[in-house]
Amino acid sequence: MVELTINYWALIAAAAANMAIGALWYGPVFGKQWRKLAGISDEAMKEMPLKAWQAMIGGAVTSLVIAYVLLFFTATWVAPSLEGALMAAFWIWLGFIATTQIGSYLWEGKPLKLFFLNTAYSLISYGVMATILVLWQ
């Protein structure tokens, strides 16, 4: 087993990048389209069970977990290069994210456009995160 050296600053930066990309993606860039495709009205957004700060904490925790797992995969199986980082992000995305998220279309009847919107965010975010983690060692 490879000994994992953790650069905590890179881990935090990758998690912060994930959150920033998500805030832009689901906010000013595609927020209205996402809400429409997901069937979430402005009123429903206000009635969500979590307050905004609670959701942000949950998002930060999940971003740190994703960053750590990406760090593990990239440190274990990827040459420290931009190409290696992007290849790892792509294969992780394809094998675990895209295949899992397609269920919202196949089984929940959500629009295919919503699948593409969500998985495109994940692909971009994972690519940025893996790049930070691999290049900032």
Side-chain angles (χ1 to χ4, degrees), residues 50-58:
L50 296 178
K51 293 179 174 58
W53 67 269
Q54 292 171 315
M56 292 295 283
I57 290 172

Side-chain angles (χ1 to χ4, degrees), residues 37-101:
L37 290 169
I40 301 172
S41 67
D42 291 338
E43 294 77 31
M45 287 289 289
K46 294 174 187 173
E47 297 174 7
M48 293 285 184
L50 296 178
K51 293 179 174 58
W53 67 269
Q54 292 171 315
M56 292 295 283
I57 290 172
V61 169
T62 58
S63 292
L64 283 168
V65 170
I66 293 167
Y68 181 81
V69 171
L70 278 171
L71 175 67
F72 177 79
F73 279 112
T74 57
T76 306
W77 294 303
V78 175
S81 67
L82 176 60
E83 181 182 358
L86 295 176
M87 290 280 293
F90 173 78
W91 289 112
I92 291 167
W93 170 82
L94 181 63
F96 300 109
I97 305 304
T99 55
T100 301
Q101 288 186 354

